[in-house]
Amino acid sequence: MAAAAPLSLLVLLLLGPGVWGQTEPPRDSLREELVITPLPSGDVAATFQFRTRWDSELQREEVSHYRLFPKALGQLISKYSLRELHLSLTQGFWRTRYWGTPFLQAPSGTDHSFLRYAVLPREVVCTENLTPWKKLLPCSSKAGLSVLLKADRLFHTSYHSQAVHIRPVCRDARCASISWELRQTLSVVFDAFVTGQGKQDWSLFRMFSRTLTEPCPLASESRVYVDVTNYSQDNETLEVYPPPLTTYQDVVLGTRKTYAVYDLLDTAVINNSRSLNLQLKWKRPPGNEAPPTPFLYAQRYVSGYGLHNGELSTLLYNTHPYRAFPVLLLDTVPWYLRLYVHTLTITSKGKENKPSYIHYQPAQDRMQPHLLEMLIQLPASSVTKVSIQFERALLKWTEYTPDPNHGFYVSPSVLSALVPSEVTAQPVDWEESPLFNTLFPASDSSSYFVRLYTEPLLVSLPTPDFSMPYNVICLTCTVVAVCYGSFYNLLTRTFQIEEPSKGGLARRLANLIRRARGVPPL
């Protein structure tokens, strides 16, 4: 019995803080959300959001224990005094004209002295970025909404974008203390006619090849939202299965939306088969109605002929019938396209449109690109054209990509604007609202913030004939081999005088015959 006393005392010491005192509530939380939106074009968009919030001063406190917040990102914030970070990897182009305004836009800037902006319009080396992105999630891809993130399904879509957003948020109205928020977002657009074998019907299993079985055990909220704005209970053309238990209504991106809500933490949502497979079926084909046009969208193209000069043009569309609004246009152009700033022209309805603000930072060869930023007022129901001429530079032969004849990509233009709302938004509690409605809260009920991107451009540059060095090398090596080989053979060969042997083959044959006859040889 004396030997068991120290062991019992050790157990009490280890369990003492949990038994004799109250445990400290967790300072971090996780919310996960999936929004499924049938697009006007007939495609289906799926937007994932995973929000991890941590009540910690990472830049002031020495943190050694991480529970939900990724340690790699926490160390990045504390080591480099990071204020805000937004990183996105996108394949494809969001077609605003046909798909409407996207949920997730890039954030507005901070002070110019602390702001760093970079864009890579094309990734030359093919890498798989989904796996490290999923490893940042508290449940990885083992449970919750992340089980739907199957690489072979996500990468075979019309549009795919994954992002990481880190920013500080205030804990109270006075902002006496802050919390760090990490949002991991992923947006994909499925072609309903391809995945649905010629039909617009869709389901979770048909899109992702998987179904939902359980929420992430570390999440305080796990929900799926399905946009049913244009469909009511009395609509006989559409059927959503299983029927939702609750719905959510709010003003989203300037229009009133209705969503069917499926809470994975509610045991009634998961049926007896322990899986949730949302389905949307059309009882009869939908009408071929024109999709609604967003109030703001843009297009960009390059014009000109030859490989010397050209012109960059951006078309800004304001389709609002009676309201004008300003747009902030940001362009970053590579240094090898030498811009002629004096050729910058802005026209609206056939008249010159002078920007109220313009900032230009010239490029430095092989160091930094051109930076052009303008604040332009878009008249109501108008198309504004912004164009500037450029000259192509000749690169060094070592600066060309492995496929130079394919062309060089120019990063898209960025549009930031407060677009008028169709419906006045009501003030809501942002902590109780869905994640898709709280990334950029609207400060004005009559407008909402939008940031859009144009298409990336493909520009051809003067390209030398890379076959000529190969031909020269082959010809030079052949000449050197022939000349040097012959000369080396003459210098190293040894010549000797050899006396001819007496007699030949005929004489030897005659001696053999004479020997056979017993006659002396010749």
Side-chain angles (χ1 to χ4, degrees):
M1 296 298 295
L7 180 59
S8 301
L9 178 61
L10 178 60
V11 173
L12 288 176
L13 289 176
L14 291 177
L15 300 179
V19 176
W20 298 330
Q22 295 181 353
T23 59
E24 182 182 358
R27 302 168 57 187
D28 51 2
S29 61
L30 170 66
R31 294 175 61 185
E32 58 178 8
E33 175 183 290
L34 169 61
V35 182
I36 301 177
T37 307
L39 300 178
S41 62
D43 301 323
V44 180
T47 303
F48 294 83
Q49 282 202 63
F50 304 88
R51 192 199 75 167
T52 304
R53 186 169 179 175
W54 193 9
D55 298 338
S56 175
E57 297 280 354
L58 294 178
Q59 297 179 350
R60 299 178 184 178
E61 303 176 2
E62 294 184 0
V63 181
S64 58
H65 176 67
Y66 291 81
R67 196 175 78 99
L68 300 179
F69 203 91
K71 184 177 181 180
L73 298 181
Q75 293 176 343
L76 183 66
I77 295 174
S78 58
K79 182 177 181 179
Y80 296 100
S81 300
L82 193 66
R83 296 189 177 185
E84 198 168 337
L85 172 65
H86 302 270
L87 173 65
S88 61
L89 302 171
T90 304
Q91 181 180 7
F93 174 68
W94 182 274
R95 306 180 184 276
T96 308
R97 174 65 178 83
Y98 303 100
W99 295 346
T101 306
F103 271 125
L104 304 175
Q105 308 94 359
S108 55
T110 61
D111 189 358
H112 280 274
S113 59
F114 300 102
L115 178 63
R116 300 293 183 268
Y117 173 77
V119 59
L120 182 65
R122 183 197 182 201
E123 190 176 12
V124 179
V125 181
C126 181
T127 57
E128 199 277 307
N129 302 305
L130 182 62
T131 300
W133 185 88
K134 290 192 296 186
K135 289 182 178 179
L136 299 176
L137 298 173
C139 289
S140 185
S141 58
K142 307 299 183 183
L145 301 178
S146 57
V147 299
L148 301 178
L149 304 180
K150 194 175 179 181
D152 61 339
R153 302 296 296 175
L154 298 180
F155 292 142
H156 290 80
T157 54
S158 303
Y159 174 83
H160 168 267
S161 178
Q162 60 190 63
V164 174
H165 305 274
I166 303 176
R167 65 177 182 178
V169 292
C170 298
R171 301 185 195 177
D172 49 23
R174 297 183 303 170
C175 203
S177 57
I178 63 172
S179 301
W180 283 97
E181 180 186 81
L182 166 64
R183 293 209 185 199
Q184 295 179 243
T185 62
L186 189 144
S187 301
V188 291
V189 175
F190 293 91
D191 190 338
F193 290 96
V194 175
T195 58
Q197 298 179 356
K199 300 180 181 179
Q200 293 190 13
D201 300 346
W202 58 264
S203 65
L204 288 182
F205 185 80
R206 183 172 293 176
M207 292 189 296
F208 301 101
S209 297
R210 293 177 180 175
T211 58
L212 296 174
T213 56
E214 60 178 345
C216 174
L218 300 176
S220 59
E221 181 180 302
S222 181
R223 295 179 180 176
V224 179
Y225 294 85
V226 180
D227 188 354
V228 292
T229 303
N230 299 327
Y231 321 118
S232 61
Q233 297 292 337
D234 299 333
N235 193 343
E236 298 180 355
T237 63
L238 185 69
E239 179 184 2
V240 180
Y241 181 83
L245 300 180
T246 58
T247 59
Y248 173 80
Q249 294 184 357
D250 200 355
V251 177
V252 181
L253 297 177
T255 58
R256 186 169 300 280
K257 297 286 187 178
T258 303
Y259 295 91
V261 183
Y262 299 87
D263 191 353
L264 298 185
L265 297 180
D266 187 358
T267 55
V269 173
I270 305 296
N271 53 24
N272 296 330
S273 61
R274 297 294 299 172
S275 66
L276 175 63
N277 183 23
L278 296 178
Q279 302 179 27
L280 185 146
K281 296 182 180 180
W282 292 88
K283 294 185 178 180
R284 64 172 182 261
N288 296 325
E289 300 179 358
T293 304
F295 286 155
L296 175 65
Y297 66 97
Q299 294 177 349
R300 197 183 190 201
Y301 60 92
V302 60
S303 59
Y305 58 91
L307 295 177
H308 183 59
N309 296 327
E311 185 178 77
L312 294 175
S313 300
T314 304
L315 301 179
L316 309 178
Y317 293 85
N318 177 10
T319 62
H320 200 282
Y322 56 87
R323 286 193 59 178
F325 53 88
V327 170
L328 185 64
L329 177 64
L330 175 65
D331 261 337
T332 55
V333 183
W335 64 268
Y336 44 78
L337 299 182
R338 308 189 188 279
L339 298 182
Y340 296 148
V341 185
H342 69 280
T343 64
L344 176 64
T345 58
I346 305 174
T347 57
S348 298
K349 295 183 176 181
K351 299 180 181 179
E352 182 182 1
N353 188 345
K354 293 184 178 181
S356 56
Y357 164 79
I358 185 170
H359 170 72
Y360 173 69
Q361 180 178 338
Q364 297 182 14
D365 288 357
R366 300 173 180 84
M367 294 184 63
Q368 68 179 24
H370 302 270
L371 178 63
L372 181 60
E373 190 176 18
M374 297 174 290
L375 184 61
I376 306 173
Q377 185 76 11
L378 302 185
S381 184
S382 66
V383 180
T384 302
K385 181 179 180 181
V386 182
S387 60
I388 187 171
Q389 298 180 9
F390 64 91
E391 177 184 350
R392 296 173 172 87
L394 182 63
L395 304 180
K396 297 179 180 179
W397 72 275
T398 56
E399 295 174 343
Y400 286 91
T401 57
D403 51 348
N405 292 316
H406 177 76
F408 291 78
Y409 283 87
V410 180
S411 59
S413 300
V414 185
L415 282 73
S416 304
L418 289 175
V419 180
S421 300
E422 297 180 4
V423 182
T424 303
Q426 301 295 330
V428 296
D429 186 1
W430 299 114
E431 287 300 322
E432 299 297 331
S433 299
L435 296 179
F436 64 84
N437 206 20
T438 61
L439 186 58
F440 299 103
S443 58
D444 186 5
S445 58
S446 62
S447 61
Y448 60 96
F449 176 77
V450 169
R451 177 161 290 176
L452 303 176
Y453 298 87
T454 63
E455 306 93 334
L457 299 180
L458 186 62
V459 179
S460 299
L461 293 182
T463 304
D465 186 2
F466 286 100
S467 64
M468 287 305 297
Y470 174 77
N471 297 335
V472 171
I473 291 174
C474 292
L475 179 60
T476 303
C477 291
T478 303
V479 173
V480 169
V482 172
C483 297
Y484 179 76
S486 301
F487 186 68
Y488 181 80
N489 190 18
L490 292 175
L491 292 179
T492 58
R493 180 181 294 179
T494 303
F495 296 92
Q496 296 179 357
I497 300 176
E498 182 179 355
E499 296 182 357
S501 58
K502 297 180 180 180
L505 179 60
R507 186 175 181 177
R508 289 196 295 271
L509 291 175
N511 290 334
L512 290 176
I513 296 173
R514 293 173 66 88
R515 188 177 298 112
R517 293 179 178 180
V519 180
L522 297 176

